[in-house]
Amino acid sequence: MTVVGYRRPAPGINPDNNSSAYASTRARAPRHPAIRIEHTLSEITGPHFETGGASAIDLTRGARGEALGERIIVTGRVLDDDGRAIAGALIETWQANAAGRYAHESDQHDAPLDPNFAGAGRIISDSDGAYRLVTIKPGAYPWRNHPNAWRPQHIHFSVFGTGFAARLITQMYFPGDPLLAIDPIFQSVADPDARARLVAALQMDVTVAEYALGYRFDIVLRGRDATPPQE
Amino acid sequence: MKTKLTSSQTVGPFFAPLLRGDLSQMVSAETRGERVVIEGRVLDGNGDPVPDAMIEIWQANAEGRYDHPEDMQEKRLDPAFHGFGRVGTNARGEFTIHTIVPGAVPAQSAQSQAIWQAPHLNLIVFARGLLTRLVTRIYFPGEIANDSDPVLCAVPAGRRATLIAKDIERLAADKAASRRLCFDIVLQGANETVFFDV
């Protein structure tokens, strides 16, 4: 059986787990280099999820009313690095509320919860790879990485492409956030162009007048070494 | 390459929404194959449990076929088994996976005769403190095919044991129950689990 592998990311795209400015890496990053293996069926295959799931969701409508904070629209496409749309990709998002607090039992930040905002979404990309999320702009929040440490505003994205080798979890940031320059997690990406791609773009053609600012965030997963054989 | 890749970032500590719906139970009553329960802990370089890790599992069915359009082997799919699981660690760093022993799957091979991989589960580990996901495999103890598995053979002999689960003794009264295995994931230090660059 001929297996067409996934292209390897260029150096500097994915962070080195040994990034000691992010304190939690110190006891958790493996010390041995990962052992490179050629891709087999085990790596090029992967789970698929329900097709026909919603490609557009709105997290701002709570059971008892509208979520508090600045409503925003985040939209984009899931692509491979040949620019091909990935249809049917599962996208899961989670984030803090407008006050910088997660609806999570271990978040002890002294900021209010919003009973109308759970902050977690599940989206299936459409036939063009597109998705659309209406949500609340998350607040910055303190963390214990170093004294007076604050995370920049961000939304977590988990994405499944077509193969397990392309599995990605990342974070989307906002343009102009002054905390980006001093955030050890964002700065763990060595390549400045790759860092810039984690920052969504404010776009007036996504913005809806009298409703919400719109941001564009495309998610690009690894492509293939060659065109895979069709069934 | 026309477009450029999106970088990885840590899953952080607040990923509980991803664990909704119990995906640690990968089998139903109709699933074909030998049941196995895999119990383990995720440990850091100090030997402390990692209470905020998430493990994803991807595996072939009992006949050794992946439920994916690019697996074109002439083996049956199992409508009661799709091969994906996801489990978070608890406060003690523990996790439990309920699945089946997969069949053997072919390796990448330029030769006409297939080289087979020993039965294995593919794992991805995410955690606070991991900026880029870790990839590893669980192999099964006592499998003759482990000795010729091309991936295991690529690992220095002294570290191979970190990839092979250990049998947990079953009490006599328990013989009818599922096979139980132990597989700890050691992120750093002595006995560090082998992770793969895929």
Side-chain angles (χ1 to χ4, degrees):
Chain A
M1 178 168 296
T2 309
V3 167
V4 177
Y6 281 80
R7 266 196 298 271
R8 311 269 169 171
I13 301 283
N14 287 325
D16 185 344
N17 277 318
N18 284 286
S19 296
S20 64
Y22 174 24
S24 296
T25 63
R26 292 171 199 159
R28 293 186 171 187
R31 295 291 185 244
H32 289 278
I35 295 175
R36 179 175 166 137
I37 57 173
E38 297 310 311
H39 292 176
T40 71
L41 269 184
S42 299
E43 287 73 35
I44 67 159
T45 58
H48 52 88
F49 299 90
E50 71 273 33
T51 45
S55 63
I57 63 169
D58 184 346
L59 303 180
T60 67
R61 295 168 198 280
R64 284 177 288 163
E66 295 255 332
L68 294 173
E70 181 191 345
R71 192 189 298 121
I72 57 169
I73 299 160
V74 179
T75 190
R77 295 171 74 205
V78 184
L79 305 164
D80 70 17
D81 64 358
D82 286 311
R84 285 185 295 231
I86 301 178
L90 173 64
I91 304 165
E92 294 161 289
T93 71
W94 68 105
Q95 63 171 94
N97 68 19
R101 175 91 184 261
Y102 287 83
H104 188 288
E105 60 183 20
S106 64
D107 186 353
Q108 300 299 314
H109 178 35
D110 182 19
L113 286 166
D114 180 348
N116 289 312
F117 189 72
R122 182 181 169 93
I123 315 173
I124 304 283
S125 67
D126 71 12
S127 58
D128 197 33
Y131 73 94
R132 186 175 191 269
L133 170 69
V134 178
T135 187
I136 295 294
K137 193 174 191 184
Y141 59 84
W143 60 315
R144 294 177 182 160
N145 191 69
H146 53 273
N148 203 16
W150 292 76
R151 289 300 327 277
Q153 297 169 304
H154 62 276
I155 299 176
H156 296 267
F157 276 77
S158 162
V159 188
F160 287 87
T162 51
F164 216 37
R167 179 82 176 94
L168 179 72
I169 289 183
T170 189
Q171 301 180 25
M172 185 207 91
Y173 301 94
F174 290 87
D177 189 335
L179 289 168
L180 290 172
I182 54 170
D183 180 53
I185 293 177
F186 179 71
Q187 293 294 333
S188 70
V189 175
D191 177 348
D193 292 336
R195 282 202 299 276
R197 292 194 293 276
L198 294 180
V199 181
L202 175 68
Q203 292 216 297
M204 295 317 291
D205 60 350
V206 174
T207 297
V208 175
E210 313 299 329
Y211 180 69
L213 288 176
Y215 293 87
R216 181 157 199 94
F217 182 61
D218 288 337
I219 299 159
V220 181
L221 305 178
R222 299 163 68 181
R224 307 299 285 270
D225 281 330
T227 304
Q230 296 297 307
E231 194 169 19
Chain B
M1 283 180 280
K2 293 175 184 156
T3 50
K4 291 188 171 172
L5 291 177
T6 302
S7 301
S8 174
Q9 294 275 268
T10 182
V11 73
F14 301 128
F15 53 82
L18 299 188
L19 299 174
R20 270 187 216 143
D22 185 7
L23 285 168
S24 68
Q25 175 58 264
M26 296 169 64
V27 296
S28 66
E30 291 76 36
T31 303
R32 296 194 288 263
E34 181 195 356
R35 267 58 178 168
V36 61
V37 178
I38 303 173
E39 301 169 10
R41 288 195 301 163
V42 181
L43 300 167
D44 72 11
N46 301 319
D48 292 326
V50 174
D52 45 11
M54 180 174 80
I55 299 161
E56 290 182 341
I57 304 106
W58 172 242
Q59 67 168 101
N61 68 20
E63 294 188 29
R65 180 162 174 192
Y66 287 103
D67 182 8
H68 187 276
E70 286 187 56
D71 187 339
M72 290 174 272
Q73 298 178 86
E74 291 178 8
K75 297 173 177 174
R76 287 182 303 169
L77 287 170
D78 181 347
F81 188 76
H82 300 292
F84 179 68
R86 181 189 257 178
V87 60
T89 53
N90 66 18
R92 295 179 300 279
E94 299 162 345
F95 64 90
T96 305
I97 302 162
H98 300 264
T99 188
I100 51 153
V101 179
V105 297
Q108 172 81 289
S109 172
Q111 295 91 346
S112 54
Q113 79 195 90
I115 295 173
W116 292 88
Q117 302 187 66
H120 64 274
L121 274 52
N122 306 290
L123 261 62
I124 295 181
V125 183
F126 298 99
R128 174 175 66 82
L130 293 177
L131 289 156
T132 298
R133 87 244 184 294
L134 300 178
V135 175
T136 188
R137 289 180 169 201
I138 300 179
Y139 286 86
F140 292 83
E143 285 280 350
I144 303 284
N146 287 346
D147 298 338
S148 56
D149 179 87
V151 171
L152 273 179
C153 289
V155 173
R159 299 187 66 208
R160 274 176 216 160
T162 70
L163 297 171
I164 301 171
K166 293 176 179 63
D167 274 302
I168 299 174
E169 285 283 330
R170 275 179 288 184
L171 300 171
D174 235 17
K175 288 289 189 205
S178 295
R179 183 178 178 191
R180 287 174 65 214
L181 298 174
C182 174
F183 187 84
D184 288 339
I185 298 170
V186 181
L187 298 180
Q188 186 189 89
N191 283 322
E192 184 176 304
T193 300
V194 167
F195 299 104
F196 294 108
D197 171 6
V198 296

